[in-house]
Amino acid sequence: MTIEEIRVRGTVQGVGFRPTVYRLAKSCNLRGDVCNDGEGVLIRVSGSEADLTEFVTRLQQECPPLARINELIRTPYIGEFSFDDFVISSSITNVIKTEIAPDAATCPQCQQEIFDPFSRFYRYPFTNCTHCGPRLSIIRAIPYDRCNTSMSAFAMCPECEKSYHDVENRRFHAQPVACHTCGPTTWLERADGKPVTASMFSMMDDVDAVCTLLQKGEIVAIKGLGGIHLACDATQEVAVQKLRQRKRRNHKPFALMARDIAIIEEHCTVSAKEKELLTSSAAPITLLQKKQFGTQQSSIATSVAPGQNTLGFMLPYTPLHHLILRRMNRPIVLTSGNLADEPQCIDNDDAKEKLSQIADYFILHNRDIINRVDDSVVRVINEKVQIVRRARGYAPAPIKLPPGFKNIPQILAMGSELKNTFCLLRENEAILSQHLGDLENAAAFNAYQDTLNLYLNLFEHQPQAIAIDKHPEYLATKFGKQLASANQIQLYQIQHHHAHIAACMAENNIPLDSPPILGIALDGLGYGEDGAFWGGEFLLADYRQFQRLATFKPVAMIGGEQAIYQPWRNTYAQLIASNLWDDCQQKYSELEIVKLLHQKPLKLLNQLIEQKINSPPASSGGRLFDAVAAAIGIYPEECSYEGQAAIAMETLAKTHTLNNHEETLIYPFNFSFSDNIYCIDPCPMWQVLLNDLQQQIPQSVIAAKFHQSLAHVIVNMVKRLRQQNVIHQVALSGGVFQNCILLEQVTNGLQKLGINVLTHSLFPTNDGGLSLGQAVITAAKLIS
């Protein structure tokens, strides 16, 4: 007989892994035990060589749905072994190296039970098992045992206790297991504090009553898994507009939830890959193409996603959502429960205080949300999944670092100001937090600090180095400096666009000591090595260093941050930088954009530019998009969120397919070379674009031509750079590459040159993935 110790690392706690080990061990006639500990799962086992081999093979093949084995190590066992059967032993507390599973959508078996009148879980909103339910959102510490979660407040009844201890039961050691008798409860409240009278909803329970309220046009705050949402009927324009006004969210698209795929398919086309995402355990918001109805109008309210040709849909992912939507034959809006820019509410009292002027009713429960977790957002481009916002269902699952990153010290990367995440590096893996939002909001920054403390405690992470962005005014940067100073930890300042490229390299498993690759980073802006704002960069980079080979011509951001929300400022700055304003007044005075600019205080604006007062030059790809959008009449005056005009222009461009003649009429750009760097100048583009406007070329044609022209000039720049540099791979990163048209056209153009193109899939291409890049660059510097 052979006795072995089998160490399993990965997502192996709270996902039904030990019962699977137990079942397989018994099936293979093995003796021993299995337990959870700080590193994952430890198995001590005795049997014949053949039985042990079969056991290990089946364990990898029959891994539970939510489990993931990163590492399985077999070693001879040395020590006392006195097992005459196979058993599950108690957890061992030691150094924390295991993973925390993401929250998981309700599994098919639990869905069936909540609608089965003969099940003890019939209509129970908190039904779960080891294959589904809350994880990250309820955990305070690990190991992932009930006493370390917010379920510790609920003592199991005899029936749940029996299920919990029955190794053959699907709920064996499912930490949140509960039922009507012993678990959390829900209740309905009016926002105005008046009692909810039984006569209003006869023959209904509180959860079912929510459906009726939504159908009547009411706004309901729903406490879910990782936060509180605001919901209304998505087909009622008045209700959606009311929600927008109360929430102070003027234009940004709302997420939608529908009872099933069939309802989604009434409004959107759904590919096999998109269906797979919608029905996965992550159950993210999936961006889907709207159906073309011709003259017939979609029943979804126009104000759900104004100016968009996509809708963000998700399916119910908790029993509560399934029960609410059982009678709902149309989609609902399900958006985060907060005022604009603030973090989502997670506490009952906080929600009633902040949301009582938005919601008409509240459906609340008494299971505490420990960790705020927003809904994830994904989409499919060319059959490849791209995560736009990584949160519920994905975080905090780690990724294995590329070859060369073993034996690294623990590192904390603080992330960016916008779309923030932070990253913990340890041994051979990176753990990214869930999406934490824009830190410029005080409440969001406070939540960021709380979540960071929670992660550091959960993972017993003691960073030996802290990585920050170079921008001196980012709150994450300032906080990182404070932490480093207070704890005497080494601090590394990482350039923004280098971090973008390094993040793309890391998730594509590029080894540490690989030769430099060309990275193209296009975004709003990031702090450059020269103290200027960068945002359209071509970097020859590895993990340790980079060389800036090319950039877009820097143009003033008139009014600083105001330029992000008033696109006309960027148009004027581009025209001034191209020496075209005099021509505009003489030759193009009848154009709408020129008329609009004449209404602005141009003398003052010129002084700001000349004297460089709150008008920093920036090579920003994002601001170039804004400038063109405003010029052709898309949100020229005001935007309510960054990139709104650019997103609307992309939507417009998709409505027009360039014909063969138009494809040859791309807008020209100039190339120049000085101080060892190429510069892309859009000046000649503006001259031709103004002519197109004067000739009343349709908006959609100009938008499509601009996208194709920008892709063309990017590919041409790569051709030039290949003449002096060895370039076999190109990494595309930065928020501008959320633009599907640009990403597809640049990728196709580079692939035709025989270049391997790296893009983001596991993490956002926007600043949501920046902390990963900061972390791996810091690790590379420490290893060297």
Side-chain angles (χ1 to χ4, degrees):
M1 300 295 281
T2 301
I3 305 176
E4 287 187 357
E5 178 177 289
I6 302 174
R7 160 63 62 199
V8 187
R9 296 186 178 95
T11 307
V12 289
Q13 290 190 13
V15 290
F17 195 82
R18 287 177 299 165
T20 300
V21 170
Y22 175 88
R23 176 177 57 81
L24 294 176
K26 298 283 278 187
S27 174
C28 294
N29 302 308
L30 302 177
R31 295 181 294 121
D33 75 337
V34 58
C35 69
N36 282 344
D37 66 5
E39 292 193 48
V41 165
L42 182 66
I43 306 167
R44 294 179 293 180
V45 65
S46 170
S48 70
E49 189 66 42
D51 286 341
L52 283 168
T53 299
E54 181 189 354
F55 168 72
V56 170
T57 301
R58 289 182 63 187
L59 183 58
Q60 292 170 313
Q61 292 174 344
E62 300 176 34
C63 197
L66 300 182
R68 186 181 69 176
I69 297 174
N70 289 344
E71 192 172 37
L72 188 151
I73 301 172
R74 300 170 64 179
T75 55
Y77 180 73
I78 301 171
E80 184 179 346
F81 191 92
S82 57
F83 299 99
D84 54 13
D85 197 355
F86 197 89
V87 297
I88 295 177
S89 298
S90 300
S91 297
I92 300 171
T93 302
N94 53 18
V95 177
I96 304 301
K97 295 179 183 175
T98 191
E99 297 177 10
I100 298 171
D103 297 285
T106 310
C107 70
Q109 296 97 319
C110 286
Q111 285 184 46
Q112 185 177 2
E113 286 174 329
I114 63 173
F115 292 119
D116 178 3
F118 300 102
S119 167
R120 71 186 187 93
F121 297 102
Y122 178 58
R123 296 195 59 78
Y124 184 56
F126 303 96
T127 302
N128 68 86
C129 68
T130 52
H131 300 160
C132 66
R135 300 292 193 278
L136 174 63
S137 59
I138 63 169
I139 194 167
R140 290 191 177 96
I142 49 179
Y144 175 65
D145 289 333
R146 192 179 183 100
C147 61
N148 291 327
T149 74
S150 57
M151 284 301 296
S152 62
F154 304 95
M156 283 185 276
C157 68
E159 282 291 318
C160 285
E161 185 96 36
K162 181 181 176 183
S163 299
Y164 183 84
H165 290 291
D166 180 3
V167 73
E168 303 295 337
N169 194 290
R170 204 174 76 249
R171 294 186 169 85
F172 177 77
H173 279 250
Q175 304 307 331
V177 66
C179 68
H180 288 286
T181 302
C182 62
T185 57
T186 59
W187 63 89
L188 186 67
E189 294 185 16
R190 290 175 59 124
D192 58 13
K194 295 178 182 178
V196 178
T197 56
S199 60
M200 293 173 63
F201 310 108
S202 57
M203 304 300 290
M204 297 181 195
D205 60 24
D206 282 2
V207 174
D208 199 36
V210 172
C211 180
T212 299
L213 290 169
L214 294 171
Q215 290 170 335
K216 288 182 174 181
E218 306 284 11
I219 297 171
V220 182
I222 302 172
K223 186 177 183 181
L225 190 69
I228 294 172
H229 290 87
L230 293 163
C232 70
D233 185 339
T235 67
Q236 297 189 39
E237 181 68 34
V238 172
V240 178
Q241 284 283 11
K242 181 170 66 173
L243 178 55
R244 282 207 176 278
Q245 290 162 6
R246 292 180 180 180
K247 187 175 158 70
R248 301 179 212 159
R249 181 165 167 164
N250 298 330
H251 303 104
K252 209 169 187 177
F254 281 141
L256 299 169
M257 180 178 276
R259 183 185 63 206
D260 51 42
I261 289 284
I263 292 176
I264 295 176
E265 288 180 327
E266 291 175 13
H267 307 280
C268 296
T269 56
V270 185
S271 70
K273 178 70 75 174
E274 289 163 343
K275 184 175 181 179
E276 183 183 322
L277 284 166
L278 286 162
T279 57
S280 69
S281 63
I285 298 168
T286 304
L287 301 181
L288 304 169
Q289 195 70 29
K290 284 182 184 177
K291 276 188 173 176
Q292 300 300 318
F293 290 94
T295 55
Q296 181 186 356
Q297 186 68 28
S298 168
S299 61
I300 290 180
T302 304
S303 54
V304 164
Q308 306 281 311
N309 61 2
T310 58
L311 293 171
F313 264 107
M314 59 185 151
L315 290 172
Y317 56 84
T318 71
L320 178 64
H321 294 123
H322 282 286
L323 293 167
I324 289 172
L325 293 179
R326 182 180 65 88
R327 295 186 292 106
M328 197 76 178
N329 297 320
R330 46 191 186 265
I332 64 167
V333 167
L334 197 73
T335 187
S336 56
N338 58 352
L339 286 171
D341 300 325
E342 288 191 2
Q344 189 177 16
C345 293
I346 59 174
D347 175 78
N348 292 350
D349 292 337
D350 185 49
K352 286 189 281 187
E353 179 186 339
K354 292 182 177 178
L355 304 180
S356 60
Q357 300 303 309
I358 304 176
D360 302 306
Y361 288 83
F362 291 86
I363 184 80
L364 301 173
H365 60 72
N366 58 345
R367 184 180 71 198
D368 288 344
I369 298 171
I370 306 300
N371 209 359
R372 179 184 289 102
V373 189
D374 285 299
D375 295 314
S376 293
V377 181
V378 304
R379 64 181 177 181
V380 177
I381 303 176
N382 287 338
E383 287 303 299
K384 184 177 180 181
V385 177
Q386 187 181 73
I387 293 181
V388 179
R389 184 171 75 197
R390 186 176 182 271
R392 178 186 51 76
Y394 295 104
I399 65 159
K400 190 174 181 180
L401 292 174
F405 280 96
K406 281 191 175 180
N407 303 318
I408 55 173
Q410 293 191 349
I411 295 167
L412 166 63
M414 306 299 289
S416 188
E417 185 84 345
L418 304 179
K419 301 177 178 66
N420 179 276
T421 63
F422 57 78
C423 178
L424 311 181
L425 235 59
R426 60 177 190 180
E427 291 190 355
N428 195 31
E429 65 181 17
I431 301 166
L432 254 74
S433 72
Q434 68 272 31
H435 166 86
L436 296 170
D438 298 348
L439 303 190
E440 55 197 8
N441 177 278
F445 182 59
N446 290 336
Y448 165 80
Q449 295 176 80
D450 292 342
T451 307
L452 176 57
N453 286 331
L454 180 68
Y455 269 66
L456 292 174
N457 291 328
L458 281 178
F459 295 102
E460 293 188 356
H461 196 273
Q462 297 179 327
Q464 295 174 248
I466 293 178
I468 57 174
D469 189 273
K470 277 184 174 288
H471 197 303
E473 295 305 314
Y474 282 179
L475 291 175
T477 295
K478 291 179 176 179
F479 188 43
K481 288 179 178 178
Q482 291 172 14
L483 288 177
S485 175
N487 297 283
Q488 296 184 316
I489 299 172
Q490 200 166 0
L491 188 71
Y492 288 83
Q493 297 189 53
I494 309 300
Q495 201 280 321
H496 190 92
H497 301 95
H498 188 200
H500 269 305
I501 302 307
C504 189
M505 292 167 64
E507 77 159 87
N508 282 280
N509 206 37
I510 302 298
L512 172 61
D513 290 322
S514 295
I517 70 171
L518 181 65
I520 304 174
L522 302 181
D523 63 1
L525 58 87
Y527 204 73
E529 293 284 273
D530 55 2
F533 288 128
W534 296 1
E537 311 306 322
F538 295 73
L539 309 177
L540 192 65
D542 57 24
Y543 289 109
R544 295 185 175 96
Q545 58 194 359
F546 70 91
Q547 179 186 357
R548 192 185 189 203
L549 300 183
T551 186
F552 280 78
K553 180 181 177 180
V555 173
M557 284 181 58
I558 307 172
E561 189 178 0
Q562 283 182 292
I564 296 173
Y565 301 103
Q566 296 179 342
W568 63 265
R569 292 175 179 269
N570 302 295
T571 311
Y572 184 66
Q574 287 281 346
L575 295 173
I576 290 294
S578 300
N579 295 313
L580 288 172
W581 181 241
D582 288 342
D583 277 0
C584 286
Q585 297 179 87
Q586 295 170 22
K587 295 168 58 177
Y588 307 110
S589 59
E590 294 306 308
L591 296 180
E592 291 301 318
I593 183 62
V594 177
K595 291 179 180 178
L596 172 65
L597 292 175
H598 269 302
Q599 297 170 17
K600 306 301 177 184
L602 300 184
K603 187 175 180 181
L604 174 61
L605 298 179
N606 292 336
Q607 289 176 348
L608 294 177
I609 296 171
E610 291 164 8
Q611 298 175 29
K612 298 181 180 178
I613 300 172
N614 196 27
S615 299
S619 56
S620 170
R623 302 292 78 79
L624 177 60
F625 265 89
D626 288 345
V628 173
I632 66 176
I634 300 173
Y635 296 114
E637 280 275 21
E638 201 83 35
C639 285
S640 60
Y641 61 93
E642 183 178 11
Q644 182 183 357
I647 293 168
M649 183 166 67
E650 179 191 1
T651 300
L652 188 65
K654 286 179 179 177
T655 66
H656 182 84
T657 303
L658 295 174
N659 58 43
N660 291 334
H661 171 67
E662 290 169 331
E663 284 182 358
T664 63
L665 298 178
I666 60 172
Y667 293 125
F669 287 74
N670 276 340
F671 292 99
S672 61
F673 184 80
S674 64
D675 298 327
N676 293 316
I677 187 170
Y678 281 100
C679 183
I680 299 172
D681 185 355
C683 172
M685 178 208 72
W686 283 105
Q687 184 73 66
V688 182
L689 190 148
L690 289 169
N691 287 337
D692 279 357
L693 286 171
Q694 192 172 54
Q695 292 171 31
Q696 298 183 335
I697 301 296
Q699 267 186 328
S700 59
V701 177
I702 298 176
K705 282 175 65 177
F706 171 69
H707 280 81
Q708 180 164 291
S709 303
L710 188 59
H712 182 78
V713 76
I714 289 170
V715 172
N716 274 351
M717 176 54 76
V718 175
K719 284 183 185 177
R720 286 177 179 252
L721 296 177
R722 284 183 92 185
Q723 295 171 10
Q724 295 94 28
N725 304 275
V726 178
I727 298 171
H728 299 299
Q729 296 192 97
V730 172
L732 306 179
S733 192
V736 171
F737 280 115
Q738 290 178 141
N739 184 301
C740 296
I741 300 175
L742 186 68
L743 181 64
E744 288 177 357
Q745 292 187 354
V746 170
T747 299
N748 292 340
L750 293 175
Q751 287 175 341
K752 286 177 182 177
L753 299 178
I755 292 173
N756 182 39
V757 180
L758 309 177
T759 58
H760 289 272
S761 178
L762 303 175
F763 300 100
T765 189
N766 58 42
D767 282 4
L770 201 74
S771 61
L772 173 62
Q774 294 171 343
V776 293
I777 291 171
T778 301
K781 291 177 183 290
L782 287 170
I783 292 171
S784 64

